[in-house]
């Protein structure tokens, strides 16, 4: 074996995974076909609350926040606005920050933790046997590891090599994308609008450049057709009622969005995460966020599978697909519903699409649920029947003994047992009895709560008890 895990693709999903694996002491090599100096073309702008929590539990959120702008609500379409200010999170907003900033921080962390990066290295094929996986790269060299994760995006070579299909369809064609300068700044940081079968979105890179994404139902032309700035301006005027004096475009393109999901996220020793496992339209800004949360779910399980006996390791790995595949399905459904609502003719059709995915209602609990879903703060994993209601939910950040917080305790990448204040070590529940003490953190809560929590390394509650 050259390493324990090969990660193919250094996008946000692969970078977060590589950092988690390396932090857990796993040997990991990342293979990326791009040259090191070339950053991924910025696509995502929206970093939602749960992703910020995930980054906080890796010591990166505060730095990212200095590179972006918090926005307290998201307008999804027509007049529907989802309020994020009441989210039960340290980050009650969506952070508008370009994807390359997220990637820069994740890469630095992975390198510091010991992950090995090989850029200019395109994976062309792979084979697997009972003990490991062998990949071939473009120059014909081979590399072998015990597991391999395909985080190589929508056109995943890894997915194709193991024969996992990617069923689905194109949901929107001929969207235009333009990076421009503006003569007039929009009033809001993030401007999204839909009107008369057209869509417009504009967000800042933070360095004077802006990205506009738009679509006009009447203009469904081939993707090869060049985009000119006047077409972009016209869509902006139709949707945002202003073209903000767009000028000096540095990048203009036309693209389509597909809605696809792999039916399984695992074939033997090969796993899929991020866009390699699911893609959908940019509506809702959920893609990068979902990919990072896949990675957070998988990292500690893969590290555990490498240490556990084969049978137990396989069961832990199976729980990755069991937990994340249904979430991917819901994300596709919600993003598709938002898109249909935004592009449908008239407010009634829009409302019908939105009601279909449960994101619009006058009822406050449904609106809160929608905010919980979009931000992913409300996403929970299944729990056994009759189990404590907190099991499977994400653990809220708590103040701990000694002035620290749960998110800080999670930075070690281990299980954290949070006991009520005053509990002494021998009274702590035996829940972690079988876990090596080097792999757990014991701590006490400082918020007066009586519940004892066993928190997984990805920040979800593994077990809970009403007292010490
Ligand atoms: C216009 C647009 C706007 C978007 N806005 C948002 C948003 O606001 N919020 C959001 O959450 N998401 C958004 N997304 C989606 C988001 O950008 C993706 O979901 C995200 O980049 C997926 O990350 P990933 O790491 O899984 O894959 P990718 O970012 O695609 O990374 C895959 C990596 O694998 C490498 N690679 C591919 N093949 C190979 C190979 N054979 N060998 C080696 N390396 C390989 C690639 O070079 C790439 O670096 C948007 C997408 C688009 C197109």
């Amino acid at each position: 074996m050259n390493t324990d895990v090969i990660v193919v693709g250094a996008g946000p999903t692969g970078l977060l995974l590589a950092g988690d694996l390396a932090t857990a002491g796993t040997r990991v090599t990342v293979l990326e076909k791009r040259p090191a100096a070339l950053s991924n073309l910025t696509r995502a702008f929206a970093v939602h609350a749960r992703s910020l929590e995930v980054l906080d539990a890796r010591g990166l959120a505060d730095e990212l926040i200095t590179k972006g702008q918090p926005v307290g609500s998201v307008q999804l379409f027509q007049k529907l606005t989802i309020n994020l200010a009441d989210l039960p999170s340290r980050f009650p907003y969506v952070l508008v920050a370009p994807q390359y900033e997220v990637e820069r921080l994740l890469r630095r962390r992975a390198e510091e933790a010991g992950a090995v990066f090989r850029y200019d290295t395109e994976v062309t094929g792979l084979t697997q046997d009972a003990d490991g996986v062998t990949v071939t790269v473009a120059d014909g060299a081979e590399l072998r590891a015990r597991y391999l994760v395909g985080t190589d995006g929508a056109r995943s070579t890894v997915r194709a090599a193991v024969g996992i299909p990617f069923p689905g369809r194109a949901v929107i064609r001929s969207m235009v994308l333009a990076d421009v300068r503006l003569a007039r700044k929009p009033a809001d940081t993030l401007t999204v609008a839909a009107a008369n079968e057209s869509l417009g979105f504009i967000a800042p890179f933070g360095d004077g450049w802006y990205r506009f994404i738009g679509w006009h139902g009447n203009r469904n032309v081939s993707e090869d057709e060049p985009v000119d700035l006047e077409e972009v301006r016209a869509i902006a005027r139709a949707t945002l009622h202003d073209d903000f004096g767009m000028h000096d475009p540095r990048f203009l393109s036309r693209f389509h969005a597909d809605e696809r999901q792999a039916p399984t996220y695992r074939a033997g020793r090969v796993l899929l995460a991020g866009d390699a496992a699911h893609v959908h339209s940019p509506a809702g800004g959920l893609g990068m966020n979902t990919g990072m949360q896949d990675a957070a779910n998988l990292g500690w399980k893969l590290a555990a599978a490498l240490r556990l006996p084969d049978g137990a390791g396989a069961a832990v790995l199976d729980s990755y697909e069991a937990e994340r595949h249904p979430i991917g399905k819901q994300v596709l459904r919600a993003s598709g519903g938002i898109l249909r609502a935004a592009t449908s003719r008239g407010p009634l059709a829009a409302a019908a699409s939105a009601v279909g995915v449960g994101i619009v209602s006058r009822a406050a609990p449904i609106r809160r649920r929608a905010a919980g879903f979009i931000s992913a703060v409300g996403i929970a994993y299944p729990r056994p029947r009759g189990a404590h209601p907190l099991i499977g939910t994400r653990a809220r950040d708590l103040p701990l003994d000694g002035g620290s917080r749960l998110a800080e305790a999670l930075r070690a990448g281990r299980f954290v047992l949070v006991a009520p204040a005053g509990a002494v070590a021998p009274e702590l529940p035996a829940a972690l009895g079988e876990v090596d003490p080097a792999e757990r953190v014991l701590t006490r809560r400082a918020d007066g709560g009586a519940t004892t929590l066993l928190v997984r390394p990805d920040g979800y509650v593994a077990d809970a008890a009403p007292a010490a």
Side-chain angles (χ1 to χ4, degrees):
M1 299 289 167
N2 300 95
T3 186
D4 292 327
V5 179
I6 292 172
V7 173
V8 183
T13 309
L15 291 170
L16 194 139
L17 179 66
D20 280 10
L21 287 167
T23 303
T26 302
R27 292 182 309 152
V28 54
T29 298
V30 183
L31 307 179
E32 166 58 56
K33 69 179 176 186
R34 273 182 290 121
L38 193 72
S39 86
N40 236 343
L41 166 79
T42 276
R43 300 188 291 184
F45 275 86
V47 187
H48 284 295
R50 181 62 192 144
S51 299
L52 288 168
E53 292 179 347
V54 165
L55 293 170
D56 192 21
R58 286 153 184 81
L60 303 174
D62 291 337
E63 191 175 343
L64 183 67
I65 288 165
T66 65
K67 306 283 177 196
Q69 298 179 50
V71 174
S73 62
V74 275
Q75 192 194 354
L76 294 178
F77 50 84
Q78 311 283 352
K79 292 199 169 60
L80 178 76
T81 301
I82 301 273
N83 177 25
L84 302 169
D86 298 330
L87 280 176
S89 169
R90 188 169 175 239
F91 311 100
Y93 47 78
V94 51
L95 186 76
V96 177
Q99 183 165 327
Y100 60 71
E101 291 291 358
V102 178
E103 292 184 10
R104 188 178 59 80
L105 296 180
L106 289 173
R107 177 175 161 193
R108 188 187 70 201
R109 165 182 179 253
E111 279 173 341
E112 284 172 1
V116 175
F117 280 80
R118 288 178 57 173
Y119 283 88
D120 266 325
T121 305
E122 178 174 359
V123 168
T124 52
L126 62 89
T127 54
Q128 59 172 318
D129 52 49
D131 303 319
V133 187
T134 305
V135 283
T136 312
V137 296
D139 66 4
E142 288 189 343
L143 230 85
R144 194 163 157 77
R146 291 183 61 195
Y147 289 96
L148 179 140
V149 187
T151 54
D152 50 346
R155 294 190 188 139
S156 171
T157 304
V158 170
R159 190 184 62 231
V162 293
I164 297 179
F166 205 37
R169 63 193 176 93
V171 284
I172 187 161
R173 292 178 200 280
S174 204
M175 294 188 95
V176 297
L177 191 153
D179 287 353
V180 289
R181 296 268 183 192
L182 303 181
R184 297 178 292 284
K185 259 175 91 172
D188 299 321
T189 306
L190 199 69
T191 314
V192 194
N196 308 321
E197 289 187 85
S198 49
L199 281 176
F201 163 95
I202 196 158
F205 280 95
D207 59 358
W209 287 96
Y210 281 77
R211 167 147 304 168
F212 177 80
I213 298 176
W215 177 80
H216 203 302
N218 292 337
R219 226 186 120 65
N220 227 341
V221 298
S222 142
E223 252 153 60
D224 305 333
E225 183 130 335
V227 181
D228 77 62
L229 188 59
E230 193 36 53
E231 176 185 358
V232 176
R233 282 203 196 107
I235 300 177
R237 285 193 296 270
T239 51
L240 310 177
H241 309 295
D242 194 353
D243 62 17
F244 306 105
M246 289 177 184
H247 60 92
D248 288 331
R250 64 173 176 187
F251 184 70
L252 292 167
S253 82
R254 208 180 289 282
F255 71 103
H256 68 272
D258 282 5
E259 219 169 77
R260 298 178 183 276
Q261 189 180 22
T264 174
Y265 286 6
R266 177 170 170 220
R269 293 182 166 271
V270 177
L271 296 114
L272 300 176
D275 274 19
H278 44 73
V279 289
H280 47 78
S281 86
L286 302 172
M288 175 179 75
N289 290 280
T290 309
M292 289 201 290
Q293 283 145 46
D294 286 348
N297 187 289
L298 178 58
W300 66 273
K301 295 177 180 175
L302 204 44
L306 283 157
R307 290 191 302 261
L308 290 166
D310 267 359
V316 172
L317 276 186
D318 282 342
S319 77
Y320 163 63
E321 177 179 316
E323 291 185 339
R324 293 304 301 172
H325 192 277
I327 302 296
K329 203 169 168 179
Q330 283 177 43
V331 167
L332 252 71
R333 193 163 164 263
S335 166
I338 295 167
L339 183 73
R340 275 188 299 281
T343 54
S344 51
R345 194 184 285 269
L348 274 180
S353 301
V355 169
V357 290
I359 53 172
V360 67
S361 164
R362 287 210 189 127
I366 295 185
R367 287 202 166 224
R368 263 202 304 279
R369 214 163 49 216
F373 183 78
I374 297 277
S375 65
V377 157
I379 284 178
Y381 299 130
R383 64 187 158 93
R385 193 184 288 266
H388 193 287
L390 288 177
I391 294 177
T393 62
R394 123 246 186 242
R396 282 182 68 170
D397 199 14
L398 291 172
L400 300 177
D401 237 10
S404 73
R405 298 180 290 119
L406 178 58
E408 290 167 342
L410 284 166
R411 290 178 191 166
R414 302 178 189 157
F415 278 81
V416 178
L417 183 63
V418 189
V424 289
E427 285 177 34
L428 293 174
L432 283 180
E434 289 153 30
V435 178
D436 179 345
E439 292 172 14
R440 66 192 190 198
V441 176
L442 301 182
T443 180
R444 288 170 190 80
R445 55 197 293 174
D447 64 343
T451 308
T452 300
L453 299 170
L454 172 60
V455 184
R456 305 181 343 182
D458 61 355
Y460 288 80
V461 177
D463 209 347

